[in-house]
Amino acid sequence: MQLSRIELADLHAPKAIARAIFAQFGTVDAPVPVSKIARALDIVDINAQEFDGFEGMLLTDAVRSSGSILANTRYGSRRARFTIAHELGHFLMERHLLSGANGFTCKARDMRETRADKRHFRQEAEANDFAINLLAPFSLFDPLLSQNPDLRDAQRLRDHLNVSLEATVRRMIDRRQERLAAVWSKNGQVRYSVKSGGFPWITCKPGQRLPQFSLASKIVANGIKGFSGVTETNPLAWLNRSDIELFEQTRVANNGHAVTLLLADLADSDDEEDGLQELGMPEFR
Ligand SMILES: [Zn+2]
């Protein structure tokens, strides 16, 4: 594989760099060959094995003469692929300041960082943005989405793209128009949540039990692996407002891990009502 780093040199936006890499390819099939891409862009060594204390590491210098990537496989090869893409992101975004004398050391938490208010957070968020755009480009991701939001799509995309379910759930929330959120839990305890813009505030916090009146808490307590249906739920279980139609779906996996998708239907919100009235359409909801 031949790729030119020079053609990427003037680009700084994560999405634009990923797009420019694909432009050099012609066409790309799933799963995206992330290690080959990294090697074609001056990563001289990729060491994927079980490590302690970090998720990924990029050994390099300020001017990125060359780079070596270490990726932790403790949580599976799919996550390691994301980690390789994330470290490649730090390598290609030369404005990213090294986090140590020999390069970058990234923790599991960094791999889902989305905040942009401090330099470290912003660098991690940009590396993640690059990674997901490299591993799950729109052209390979969007065609596999169903008409309605469904966690089964995320699982299908996980297998298609060979990335983690966490990554495809986050990508699904990002790519769909609906107001969505996902809550990850282990043994009924919330790990973390993400939501799309416009989704209301979620009241449960990391470390707390899944809300008592949620369907998720019952499904997780049952412990039967697989997907629940997408079912209307009491909005007050998850939110501090009751004027929203809320739906939830849970997927229970091994070892007490679960993810719950929340879909908020804000169809009666003021702006949409105004829109309908302006168009002179009858209100039918
Ligand atoms: Zn990082």
Side-chain angles (χ1 to χ4, degrees), residues 13-161:
K15 261 192 205 78
I17 300 171
R19 219 180 293 131
I21 290 172
F22 289 125
Q24 293 189 39
F25 261 81
T27 58
V28 63
D29 291 323
V32 174
V34 61
S35 294
K36 276 190 191 161
I37 291 171
R39 287 200 168 89
L41 293 170
D42 299 333
I43 297 296
V44 292
D45 188 41
I46 298 171
N47 184 356
Q49 61 176 75
E50 288 200 14
F51 294 105
D52 283 322
F54 66 92
E55 194 79 0
M57 207 181 272
L58 168 68
L59 305 174
T60 191
D61 53 33
V63 296
R64 311 295 200 272
S65 319
S66 68
S68 294
I69 289 174
L70 282 66
N72 196 343
T73 56
R74 185 176 301 274
Y75 302 106
S77 59
R78 290 183 175 124
R79 248 170 88 162
R81 276 168 51 80
F82 188 91
T83 300
I84 292 167
H86 174 107
E87 300 305 334
L88 178 62
H90 284 311
F91 183 71
L92 295 175
M93 288 183 265
E94 294 180 19
R95 287 181 177 178
H96 284 193
L97 294 183
L98 274 53
S99 67
N102 299 314
F104 297 81
T105 305
C106 306
K107 308 239 179 211
R109 195 191 163 81
D110 295 326
M111 297 294 160
R112 53 173 192 262
E113 186 59 71
T114 54
R115 294 172 290 184
D117 50 348
K118 290 196 177 129
R119 190 210 313 271
H120 172 74
F121 296 153
R122 193 183 64 242
Q123 292 191 169
E124 295 311 313
E126 286 181 352
N128 290 334
D129 196 18
F130 171 78
I132 196 66
N133 279 292
L134 188 69
L135 295 169
F138 304 157
S139 63
L140 298 179
F141 190 90
D142 294 358
L144 267 76
L145 291 174
S146 305
Q147 192 174 0
N148 296 310
D150 195 315
L151 286 172
R152 288 182 180 85
D153 289 355
Q155 179 164 306
R156 234 186 5 257
L157 282 155
R158 175 198 71 180
D159 298 338
H160 182 59
L161 299 167

Side-chain angles (χ1 to χ4, degrees), residues 211-226:
Q212 191 184 353
F213 299 111
S214 66
L215 302 173
S217 72
K218 294 186 190 73
I219 291 163
V220 165
N222 278 338
I224 300 167
K225 292 187 194 72

